[in-house]
Amino acid sequence: MKDVNVFRLPMAGPDDVSELAKLIENGTVDPKEICAIIAQTEGDGYARGYSALNFELMLSEKMNRTRKEVSDQIPMLMIGLTGGLMSPHYTVFTRKEVEAVETTEKRLSLGIQLTRVLLPEEYGTRTQVLLVAEAVKNAMVEAGIEDVSDVHCVEVKCPNLTAARVADAVSRGKKVVSTNFADAGAKSKGASALGVALALGEISDEDVTDAAICSNWNLYSKVASTSAGNEQVACKVIVMGNSKTSVSKYKIGSGVMKDTLDVDGAKTAFKSAGLVFDEVIPQDQRDRIATVFINAGADAMGSIRGRRTTMKSDFLAGYKGIIAKAVINAIVGAMIGDTMILASAGFEHQGPLGSNLVAAIVKAD
Amino acid sequence: MKDVNVFRLPMAGPDDVSELAKLIENGTVDPKEICAIIAQTEGDGYARGYSALNFELMLSEKMNRTRKEVSDQIPMLMIGLTGGLMSPHYTVFTRKEVEAVETTEKRLSLGIQLTRVLLPEEYGTRTQVLLVAEAVKNAMVEAGIEDVSDVHCVEVKCPNLTAARVADAVSRGKKVVSTNFADAGAKSKGASALGVALALGEISDEDVTDAAICSNWNLYSKVASTSAGNEQVACKVIVMGNSKTSVSKYKIGSGVMKDTLDVDGAKTAFKSAGLVFDEVIPQDQRDRIATVFINAGADAMGSIRGRRTTMKSDFLAGYKGIIAKAVINAIVGAMIGDTMILASAGFEHQGPLGSNLVAAIVKAD
Amino acid sequence: MKDVNVFRLPMAGPDDVSELAKLIENGTVDPKEICAIIAQTEGDGYARGYSALNFELMLSEKMNRTRKEVSDQIPMLMIGLTGGLMSPHYTVFTRKEVEAVETTEKRLSLGIQLTRVLLPEEYGTRTQVLLVAEAVKNAMVEAGIEDVSDVHCVEVKCPNLTAARVADAVSRGKKVVSTNFADAGAKSKGASALGVALALGEISDEDVTDAAICSNWNLYSKVASTSAGNEQVACKVIVMGNSKTSVSKYKIGSGVMKDTLDVDGAKTAFKSAGLVFDEVIPQDQRDRIATVFINAGADAMGSIRGRRTTMKSDFLAGYKGIIAKAVINAIVGAMIGDTMILASAGFEHQGPLGSNLVAAIVKAD
Amino acid sequence: MKDVNVFRLPMAGPDDVSELAKLIENGTVDPKEICAIIAQTEGDGYARGYSALNFELMLSEKMNRTRKEVSDQIPMLMIGLTGGLMSPHYTVFTRKEVEAVETTEKRLSLGIQLTRVLLPEEYGTRTQVLLVAEAVKNAMVEAGIEDVSDVHCVEVKCPNLTAARVADAVSRGKKVVSTNFADAGAKSKGASALGVALALGEISDEDVTDAAICSNWNLYSKVASTSAGNEQVACKVIVMGNSKTSVSKYKIGSGVMKDTLDVDGAKTAFKSAGLVFDEVIPQDQRDRIATVFINAGADAMGSIRGRRTTMKSDFLAGYKGIIAKAVINAIVGAMIGDTMILASAGFEHQGPLGSNLVAAIVKAD
């Protein structure tokens, strides 16, 4: 049996890992038990690396290990770019073996897997889909999750094309999916999401063609949140679900907001995680929330419920991902009185176009 | 007695006034009865002027009057800059005299006044406060509103300093409140808001000193929304409230969200306007909503409920007003299932720091 | 014979057409002789329409014609988005018939043509290339230019795809080149540039395939500057060159800066137009400059002379066109001591990748 | 006698310190001799810290010292935010004692000093001016520079106000110069520049009043470039000049561009450093350039040579410092065919308003 714990901690900047350091120093967290860190970093994309480096340095010192050993042990998923009321923070997951006990219900469990290194020409292709699917299945086994309906959130960090990688592919006579890096990145994220969908039976193997990626929007996962980074060479997969093999005091649930105004979808997520409420979440139930992960999809759309928006057309269109995150963070944040919750952008096969995926981790009552 | 009508219409761009043209053409709106247009325009600041010019041109043709005559008859308040789920649109108010009838309750009424032209050195000073206060009082008389508690929204458009105006003041040996145009603009908006507060008895005459403007944040109005524009030379005041002299089918109500997550404050506004609901606003009550005006205040704060945000510190800080509007639009929009509602930024003495002011116009049941 | 005159005038905002109004009022410009207005407008894209509307209104009044008549007579090319030291302004071209005189050298002449309305599915295709090529040839005839080497600048404004236009094509069972509007816009601009190249013999008919557009960068024109706008439905072509049929006091010349630092390329343009200097342009020669049109290409590249830049990778990448214009404006502006010169972005087949095209109009000595 | 060496090295990202690592590994650079690193980092402000951390980590490993020891030995000046053609890079200065030799001319020498820690209430005040002045004088002594005219560049990094620092001051009953952090930062930079000016005799002691800082623009230094960072608690001063005590193969020179188009001012700088040319710098002289440091001032102005610009008024106004750097980098870069030169923004008392300060380090012939 496993015990999984969750610590959501604020950061004063991308370089601030002091709150975790304190928990380690006062014995609350044993760094050897840390199995993943998921951060919402402010600043630009470089702040992700900056933040990860600071975690590595601090943990390397606390654990008396090399930075390489730390980063091998602990996958760090840095979700960059904050806006609006989003509050920079990170969630630390710990996991330890405990003696088998009688359990009455499934509890939070994590599976963490890495695919093999992908070749640049494989980014955004069926090959990536299959590799991610395999990693998700392995992660389910690792997490002790048998039923796909017990998987509520799958975070995937996958590689981006870069000039050097295109050159590498070209030097071997290979073709990449697109030399437009934005398009190629979208396809990498899309392939990762389809990999989750395939593993969870949300789509079938024959759906998965190169042509379908970032094209057939009827294919999607309801629990995938994927992002791409230049620093990645393989796909990092974190599966979160509920398992009989866990004695965690936490449970996870999820729901789909069919559009950004669909608060009922968010309520479904909180209820699925075990919160008890009718229309409004009362304070005692809010207090049970450990954290919330949202995958934002508003940037896929130029309108909502028949109302035209300027998300994709105005002079801030270059930042539409940030703004999509800011608005969903505000809406869900207003439901629970707290905006220190994670929002990730990326609509590619992550739910139906324009939807938002909400996963909530809450204390079991 | 007066009858006041409200038409909320979408626009496909700052130059699109076709929906109003249609209503005039099919007889729904008599252009001679139009008493105000309040628009939420996309694009940058210039789009405000572009939009106003298009309204003038179309109305000048429909009414067979000069553009000058049109703009003299119809104050146009263009609130620029949209973001997130905000949907560009405009609200047309019409007003006509009707025969006296027995009324059971106070209904929506408007008073519209213009102060005298202000000298540049008066912008952001006690003089501006007093002029706006006088205009508000006159507008209340015009609207037939006797009780200040019946005033629910006061929109003020006031002048901004420009290089030419500073030069003018200097040439007459006068000093402006600040040669930093952003600071001077803030003080102009702040002075306007304090003018509303003074007229409505929310502050007292002795509170109003030059030094207090944009400094003593304990002074504020709970119903003022002010914005400044380079094109203004006087302060344009639109008072909206409920009056015994109106037979409008609409009522207006208001409420203060003490911070951006305070959905209870928004509910107060809708209930004050007459909507009937417990926690969630049902569709039949949503259908009664004619429009909503929100004054956003999130850009005044670098944190919310103890959570640090990056609103004022990150690389999008230059657009924090737009983002503050986008998040409050999203939150209130999610409550009513519609984001085609107006949001204006400007925290200066418009509610307590960090608050949002919500005014709702709804069909009387 | 024709006399062509050039007036470069500053604007205080997109709505400021007062300088031209003054020239009309004092008799310097006869509005009936205006054959084109090319403006560099500040603000966002909407400011282009705002500016054009203001020109139409003013000219309609001065000429006692309808706005439609004005816009039919006078093509207005509004180049939006300014940055850095760029100074908003417009250039007015007038043209009138004069009695034949003995001429010693070719002088500035303009040809202005409009293609037929393009169907959305034709945007960015060989069809557009051919239509633009035909228009350029007709414009050369109109301008009295026989030799393609006498053409020094061809400005083309072409249509952009919009959601409505895609819908229109789809409704007729047609496919557009891309439903990504940015890609489609690039192809529209690219096709226009190839049209110029084809007309001028810089490429051959067999080069012009749908596949080559925005793909084979070895195809380009050295004198084309193209931009796309949602408001266009046809391609507007302005050919500028030198002709024996003109008695203008101006000449035009051009040159290619092979990269943004290639000041020698810019010198070639000024010398080609007739300026006399060795390395530095002296004040008396600067005084001969009527205006300069530059097509910027720096936004096509992520490096210059082996030095990596952040033009395409940093958080301002969404504005790379503006920044590319700002830097070339600064470099050429520093050569002539004046930044009130026009810069247009758009690298698609407008010169070799990364180049800048410079056209200078100067007073004949 | 001292020998000072200069290495200008490209970086592929804020975390890339590999070029210096290579020079250390191949014996070209002895890390113990490194006396300063000045970097031009891309990304947002956080990338500065990220970059510095990477230098510390690499050098700590190469030198077998702690990160603290490294940062104590080597001041690192990270100038953040790049735009346009600016190319991220860093300049490494080394210094070592050598035996006395006969010298014929003064050569490049550096003095590096740190003021005491400033209290938040001292930021932007006369106290800061005096402390910086003292540090500059000490740095001149350290550098062996006796004559103020031999000082050609003084880089100062000084502290910014933060919320925590304001709280600290308030808790001790003290007042900071402004609670608007942008204003306070400007005053901190301004005070630093005046400190340089005072030390070099460009202003007199009586000029230095609290009120003059960021107000009396007639006071300035022609060689100061100052920037402020939240991470600083004291002022870091790097004085660069020519000294008889140096046998460096480099010399430094400087010049003032009175506005951004004043290329003659830049030529003065290159000639002052010893380059030999008439109007255009030929390749053999360009090859002598080790690096160039520019302090940009275009963001102080809304016009240039009578031409209005949109630098301070348009929707990119929030990034005007970046854009001011991009345009001056382009202009000077075009003069020498290389944009991998440093540009820093900050007009506060750093030259006359609107000027640009250019310092060039070149190989002695």
Side-chain angles (χ1 to χ4, degrees), chain C residues 343-364:
Chain C
S344 178
F347 59 84
E348 306 86 358
H349 303 297
Q350 297 152 67
L353 269 195
S355 68
N356 296 271
L357 308 182
V358 181
I361 299 180
V362 309
K363 279 206 195 83

Side-chain angles (χ1 to χ4, degrees), chain C residues 97-277:
Chain C
E97 287 295 325
V98 291
E99 289 205 17
V101 294
E102 196 78 28
T103 56
T104 55
E105 61 168 10
K106 295 172 184 168
R107 293 293 173 86
L108 178 65
S109 186
L110 266 69
I112 297 157
Q113 294 285 326
L114 204 64
T115 65
R116 68 158 168 80
V117 170
L118 276 81
L119 294 167
E121 61 267 29
E122 295 173 335
Y123 299 0
T125 67
R126 178 178 153 90
T127 303
Q128 185 177 347
V129 177
L130 299 179
L131 287 169
V132 170
E134 187 190 8
V136 170
K137 283 178 186 162
N138 291 340
M140 284 178 64
V141 172
E142 178 193 341
I145 300 174
E146 288 164 10
D147 189 339
V148 292
S149 69
D150 283 324
V151 174
H152 289 283
C153 183
V154 183
E155 301 275 341
V156 185
K157 191 98 200 184
C158 51
N160 251 340
L161 266 190
T162 62
R165 292 172 186 184
V166 173
D168 168 54
V170 167
S171 76
R172 288 177 291 100
K174 303 293 182 182
K175 226 180 151 214
V176 296
V177 289
S178 172
T179 53
N180 178 321
F181 295 160
D183 287 349
K187 290 198 171 191
S188 180
K189 290 184 281 179
S192 293
L194 290 178
V196 177
L198 182 60
L200 301 184
E202 300 175 280
I203 61 173
S204 65
D205 185 82
E206 69 227 37
D207 291 328
V208 180
T209 61
D210 286 353
I213 296 168
C214 287
S215 163
N216 181 354
W217 300 119
N218 294 320
L219 308 177
Y220 51 81
S221 169
K222 290 182 175 175
V223 296
S225 181
T226 70
S227 60
N230 292 357
E231 71 282 7
Q232 304 296 320
V233 291
C235 297
K236 202 178 282 180
V237 171
I238 302 184
V239 167
M240 296 179 234
N242 298 314
S243 163
K244 285 182 302 184
T245 66
S246 169
V247 297
S248 173
K249 61 173 176 279
Y250 296 100
K251 293 198 298 181
I252 184 167
S254 61
V256 178
M257 296 174 72
K258 64 180 192 294
D259 67 21
T260 303
L261 299 183
D262 178 24
V263 289
D264 286 338
K267 287 177 189 171
T268 303
F270 290 112
K271 288 178 178 173
S272 145
L275 290 199
V276 180
F277 63 98

Side-chain angles (χ1 to χ4, degrees), chain B residues 121-130 177 183-195 203 206-219 347-349:
Chain B
E121 61 266 30
E122 293 173 335
Y123 298 2
T125 67
R126 177 177 154 92
T127 302
Q128 184 177 348
V129 176
L130 298 180
V177 289
D183 288 349
K187 288 198 173 189
S188 180
K189 291 186 279 179
S192 293
L194 289 179
I203 61 172
E206 69 228 36
D207 291 328
V208 181
T209 61
D210 286 353
I213 296 167
C214 286
S215 163
N216 181 355
W217 300 117
N218 293 321
L219 309 177
F347 59 83
E348 306 86 354
H349 304 297

Side-chain angles (χ1 to χ4, degrees), chain A residues 96-251:
Chain A
K96 66 174 169 188
E97 288 294 324
V98 292
E99 289 204 17
V101 295
E102 197 77 33
T103 55
T104 54
E105 61 168 9
K106 295 172 184 169
R107 292 293 172 86
L108 178 66
S109 187
L110 265 69
I112 298 158
Q113 295 284 325
L114 203 65
T115 65
R116 69 157 167 81
V117 170
L118 276 80
L119 293 168
E121 61 267 30
E122 294 172 336
Y123 298 1
T125 67
R126 175 176 156 91
T127 303
Q128 184 178 348
V129 177
L130 298 179
L131 287 169
V132 169
E134 187 190 7
V136 169
K137 282 178 186 163
N138 290 341
M140 284 178 65
V141 172
E142 178 194 340
I145 301 173
E146 289 165 9
D147 190 340
V148 292
S149 70
D150 283 324
V151 175
H152 291 283
C153 183
V154 182
E155 300 274 342
V156 185
K157 190 99 201 183
C158 51
N160 251 339
L161 265 191
T162 62
R165 291 171 186 182
V166 172
D168 168 55
V170 167
S171 76
R172 288 178 289 98
K174 302 293 182 183
K175 226 177 152 225
V176 296
V177 288
S178 172
T179 52
N180 178 321
F181 295 159
D183 288 350
K187 289 199 172 187
S188 180
K189 291 185 280 180
S192 293
L194 289 179
V196 177
L198 182 61
L200 301 184
E202 298 174 281
I203 62 172
S204 65
D205 184 82
E206 69 229 35
D207 292 328
V208 181
T209 60
D210 286 352
I213 297 167
C214 287
S215 163
N216 181 353
W217 299 118
N218 293 321
L219 308 177
Y220 52 79
S221 169
K222 290 182 174 175
V223 296
S225 181
T226 71
S227 59
N230 293 357
E231 71 283 6
Q232 304 296 319
V233 292
C235 298
K236 204 178 278 179
V237 171
I238 302 183
V239 167
M240 296 179 234
N242 297 316
S243 164
K244 284 182 307 183
T245 67
S246 168
V247 297
S248 173
K249 62 174 176 279
Y250 296 100
K251 293 196 300 182

Side-chain angles (χ1 to χ4, degrees), chain D residues 41-225:
Chain D
T41 56
E42 68 209 284
D44 66 8
Y46 295 120
R48 295 201 317 259
Y50 188 24
S51 196
L53 179 55
N54 276 281
F55 278 111
E56 284 173 20
L57 284 169
M58 184 272 286
L59 290 170
S60 136
E61 192 186 311
K62 299 287 182 207
M63 299 167 73
N64 203 20
R65 297 201 187 164
T66 66
R67 277 162 51 204
K68 176 81 172 60
E69 287 166 341
V70 169
S71 76
D72 284 352
Q73 175 196 322
I74 306 174
M76 297 183 192
L77 232 102
M78 306 282 132
I79 309 292
L81 306 174
T82 56
L85 305 176
M86 295 172 71
S87 185
H89 72 282
Y90 53 95
T91 302
V92 178
F93 292 93
T94 60
R95 190 166 52 175
K96 66 174 168 188
E97 287 294 326
V98 292
E99 288 207 17
V101 294
E102 197 77 29
T103 55
T104 55
E105 59 168 11
K106 294 172 185 169
R107 293 292 173 85
L108 178 65
S109 186
L110 265 70
I112 297 156
Q113 295 284 327
L114 204 64
T115 65
R116 69 160 167 80
V117 170
L118 275 81
L119 294 168
E121 61 267 30
E122 294 173 336
Y123 298 0
T125 66
R126 177 177 154 92
T127 302
Q128 185 177 347
V129 176
L130 299 179
L131 287 168
V132 170
E134 187 189 9
V136 170
K137 283 179 185 163
N138 290 340
M140 284 178 65
V141 171
E142 178 193 341
I145 300 173
E146 287 165 10
D147 190 340
V148 293
S149 70
D150 283 324
V151 174
H152 289 284
C153 183
V154 183
E155 299 274 342
V156 185
K157 191 98 200 183
C158 50
N160 251 340
L161 265 191
T162 62
R165 292 173 186 182
V166 172
D168 168 54
V170 167
S171 76
R172 289 178 289 98
K174 301 293 180 182
K175 225 178 152 216
V176 297
V177 288
S178 172
T179 52
N180 179 321
F181 295 160
D183 287 349
K187 290 198 171 191
S188 179
K189 291 185 280 179
S192 292
L194 289 179
V196 177
L198 182 61
L200 301 184
E202 298 174 281
I203 60 171
S204 65
D205 185 83
E206 68 227 38
D207 291 328
V208 181
T209 61
D210 286 354
I213 297 167
C214 286
S215 163
N216 181 354
W217 300 117
N218 293 321
L219 308 177
Y220 52 80
S221 169
K222 288 181 175 175
V223 296
S225 181

Side-chain angles (χ1 to χ4, degrees), chain C residues 13-66:
Chain C
D15 56 340
D16 175 26
V17 298
S18 60
E19 293 293 327
L20 177 56
K22 275 184 222 162
L23 293 190
I24 294 172
E25 285 155 19
N26 70 21
T28 307
V29 169
D30 177 349
K32 291 192 302 296
E33 296 175 357
I34 298 174
C35 65
I37 295 175
I38 300 182
Q40 178 104 68
T41 57
E42 69 209 281
D44 66 8
Y46 295 120
R48 296 200 316 260
Y50 188 23
S51 195
L53 180 53
N54 275 282
F55 278 110
E56 284 173 22
L57 284 169
M58 184 271 286
L59 290 169
S60 136
E61 191 185 313
K62 299 286 182 209
M63 299 166 74
N64 203 20
R65 296 199 186 165
T66 66

